[in-house]
Amino acid sequence: MKYSRFMQGVLLSAVIVAEVSPQTLSAAPTQPGDRMDAAARLSASSTAAMGTAFVQVAAGNYYSVGLRADGSVWTWGRNLMGELGIPDTTAVSSMAAPIRLSTLPPLNSIATDGYGYQLGVTRDGTVWEWGSRPGYVRETQVPRVLPGLSGISQVTTLQKYSFGLGSDGSVKAWMRDQKSGDSGQPISVKGLKNIVQLQSASDYICALDSAGSVWRFTVNTSENQLHLSVPVRIQGLPALKQISTQHAYDAYGVDSSGKVWKWSSIQASSGTEKLYVKPVSIQPSLQVQNVYASIGYMLLVSRQGEVWMYDGKPGRSAVKIKGLQRIVSAAAGDTHRLAVDAKGQVYGWGANNWNEVGVPRNAGDGMEYAPVPIQRPITIRINGSLLPASFPAINKNNSISVPVKSIAKEFGGSLEASTTQEGTTYRLQYGQTTVTFRTGSAEAAIQGRSMALSGPVSMINGAVMVPASLFKQLGCQVDWNPHLAELSIQGK
């Protein structure tokens, strides 16, 4: 049997991961927009060190998004089209480490359309958006609240349409203008009640109700108006507790016994939803907690916290990804995968040409065939407030490097560059103090006096990075909390 080059990589990664030692902790992937199981979220949150554990991840097209227990949102990977929602960085093609979206309020859940547009639900039920702007090349929409929405608990989004699940089990729908990027007024989806999960793919939406029934409806626009079909219940399915969709017709679900089902449906002329392929049980020997569907494969997370990868080909069995333990949430992207364990640690594997896995791209083929822990996210506070930086801090060889220009701006300082035949020299002005340095050098001149730095000055993603200890040498109070991975700098 022949496979595409991508699927060969997917299956090879599963085989290689199976050889990882049992001590290697990792997690399983999720489909964009999937909501974490409530028990899994509670388990991860209970082990969080002051909220730093991740509780949900989403794998977009060459980029990633993660939500922590403290409600903060972190993003990494490709930013070529403004996918990450970070201001002033659209000239930067990717982020090599997680960066915090500091202007977002604490969120309870996140979703992505997979192509650069994200939504998040706050703890009071409002909805925020960020990411790529339709019709604008290399421009980003920084986080902003959507009007007219409240009492929302979960969202799912397509490129043009989005849907919100109300805390009362109702469903709202709204359209995003493909020229301005603005969202229209939400409307109620009639005929649905007691809904507990939403999934979207192509131009249709599946809704799972509290009784385990699946409802399906389609969406389209004409003359700048949103049109929804009447939701119909899919007949012939067992009662389900979780669903996942990827294709316009194929869908997957898990029942209360842990069996995974695949089905295909089509809308008949009578308006009813009929199955044209009888539901098939996938890997019936497994007891599955959640299924995550993607293009060409799916991930099965068992009740024991194991992860299995299945390509859906006739006669083939799911491959167990050994070394992954106590997995509670996952994300299955088109080319890479993410997973969260019970302690809130995120792991990634698959294609990493844009750093979407969460580690710097390797010098070889850009693939991470075995799951690796993402670089630890670092929070920076300046004078007690979150740093609104457009670039992340990096911890390398126990030396923390920070984006010097962003920090200088918060202190009322500046960073300038001058280039000569000998190279580029940077001049940091902090109050009455002048510091000069060059990239690649572990020395700086403070008021003309040469001083050693704890590490070399570097250039990462176009940002000038200096050791955080430089600010201590300038008289600032610099504190590092290793449990929270939080760096605090107080100006002198």
Side-chain angles (χ1 to χ4, degrees):
M1 183 180 296
K2 294 183 178 180
Y3 295 94
S4 67
R5 183 177 180 182
F6 166 68
M7 279 307 304
Q8 289 173 0
V10 168
L11 296 175
L12 179 57
S13 69
V15 174
I16 293 180
V17 172
E19 298 175 355
V20 176
S21 66
Q23 287 73 31
T24 303
L25 292 179
S26 233
T30 31
Q31 176 180 350
D34 275 342
R35 182 181 61 174
M36 176 188 288
D37 175 82
R41 182 185 295 277
L42 179 61
S43 173
S45 298
S46 66
T47 61
M50 297 296 289
T52 60
F54 280 91
V55 295
Q56 187 185 359
V57 286
N61 196 21
Y62 310 121
Y63 68 97
S64 302
V65 188
L67 172 66
R68 294 202 314 194
D70 62 4
S72 63
V73 174
W74 300 74
T75 187
W76 60 95
R78 195 178 76 169
N79 195 45
L80 198 62
M81 302 298 175
E83 295 96 321
L84 304 187
I86 305 167
D88 306 321
T89 60
T90 48
V92 178
S93 60
S94 68
M95 287 290 166
I99 182 169
R100 182 172 182 163
L101 296 181
S102 60
T103 59
L104 275 173
L107 300 184
N108 268 353
S109 66
I110 55 175
T112 178
D113 69 352
Y115 297 95
Y117 181 61
Q118 284 69 242
L119 293 176
V121 181
T122 66
R123 293 172 178 178
D124 64 2
T126 58
V127 179
W128 286 63
E129 67 172 352
W130 67 92
S132 301
R133 296 186 63 192
Y136 293 84
V137 179
R138 300 181 72 86
E139 285 196 24
T140 192
Q141 173 61 60
V142 296
R144 66 176 180 177
V145 67
L146 293 183
L149 288 165
S150 61
I152 301 298
S153 62
Q154 180 198 152
V155 286
T156 185
T157 181
L158 300 166
Q159 290 184 336
K160 298 180 181 179
Y161 327 105
S162 297
F163 304 86
L165 173 60
S167 55
D168 59 356
S170 63
V171 177
K172 298 282 188 180
W174 62 95
M175 180 177 63
R176 190 184 189 208
D177 189 281
Q178 295 301 290
K179 292 182 179 180
S180 68
D182 295 333
S183 294
Q185 192 69 19
I187 62 174
S188 296
V189 180
K190 298 179 180 180
L192 292 176
K193 62 180 180 178
N194 301 322
I195 301 302
V196 296
Q197 187 192 358
L198 295 174
Q199 283 282 283
S200 57
S202 298
D203 60 351
Y204 82 98
I205 297 85
C206 280
L208 178 67
D209 68 21
S210 58
S213 296
V214 179
W215 298 73
R216 185 179 186 272
F217 62 98
T218 58
V219 57
N220 63 72
T221 58
S222 64
E223 298 181 353
N224 209 31
Q225 295 292 320
L226 187 64
H227 300 283
L228 306 174
S229 68
V230 176
V232 292
R233 186 167 69 89
I234 300 178
Q235 304 287 339
L237 292 176
L240 301 175
K241 69 179 188 65
Q242 185 254 343
I243 57 175
S244 183
T245 60
Q246 179 60 42
H247 189 268
Y249 301 108
D250 296 337
Y252 306 84
V254 181
D255 66 21
S256 59
S257 70
K259 283 188 177 181
V260 179
W261 297 87
K262 175 185 177 182
W263 69 91
S264 299
S265 60
I266 190 168
Q267 190 165 348
S269 57
S270 62
T272 60
E273 196 78 11
K274 293 185 177 181
L275 298 173
Y276 68 85
V277 175
K278 183 179 179 181
V280 177
S281 177
I282 296 174
Q283 303 298 303
S285 61
L286 292 177
Q287 284 193 319
V288 174
Q289 183 67 30
N290 287 310
V291 57
Y292 303 95
S294 188
I295 297 176
Y297 75 101
M298 72 189 72
L299 291 159
L300 310 174
V301 178
S302 74
R303 292 180 175 179
Q304 293 74 34
E306 302 167 335
V307 180
W308 299 74
M309 184 180 291
Y310 181 56
D311 65 4
K313 302 295 183 181
R316 296 184 63 89
S317 298
V319 177
K320 181 181 178 180
I321 304 179
K322 295 182 179 179
L324 299 181
Q325 303 176 23
R326 302 179 64 204
I327 303 308
V328 296
S329 182
D334 290 354
T335 61
H336 78 290
R337 294 157 289 285
L338 302 170
V340 185
D341 68 15
K343 291 184 178 180
Q345 172 65 57
V346 178
Y347 297 80
W349 67 100
N352 194 40
N353 285 312
W354 300 91
N355 309 305
E356 59 266 41
V357 164
V359 297
R361 183 189 188 281
N362 63 49
D365 60 2
M367 289 286 294
E368 293 292 338
Y369 292 101
V372 293
I374 68 169
Q375 295 186 85
R376 192 178 187 191
I378 297 175
T379 295
I380 305 177
R381 294 188 182 274
I382 305 298
N383 293 333
S385 299
L386 285 174
L387 174 67
S390 299
F391 299 90
I394 303 290
N395 189 348
K396 185 176 182 180
N397 299 325
N398 294 320
S399 176
I400 300 174
S401 295
V402 294
V404 61
K405 186 175 183 179
S406 298
I407 295 177
K409 181 180 179 181
E410 292 303 301
F411 283 139
S414 62
L415 181 71
E416 297 178 352
S418 59
T419 302
T420 65
Q421 292 182 346
E422 297 178 354
T424 301
T425 299
Y426 293 92
R427 181 177 181 270
L428 168 64
Q429 190 67 43
Y430 174 60
Q432 301 300 314
T433 304
T434 301
V435 186
T436 57
F437 47 80
R438 292 182 177 179
T439 57
S441 174
E443 292 185 353
I446 302 178
Q447 296 292 78
R449 295 179 57 187
S450 180
M451 298 189 70
L453 301 176
S454 61
V457 177
S458 60
M459 181 78 73
I460 300 178
N461 295 131
V464 181
M465 308 288 288
V466 301
S469 58
L470 170 62
F471 289 93
K472 186 173 183 179
Q473 294 171 289
L474 294 177
C476 298
Q477 181 179 337
V478 180
D479 297 308
W480 168 246
N481 186 325
H483 299 292
L484 300 180
E486 184 169 297
L487 180 71
S488 176
I489 305 177
Q490 293 285 135
K492 61 181 180 180

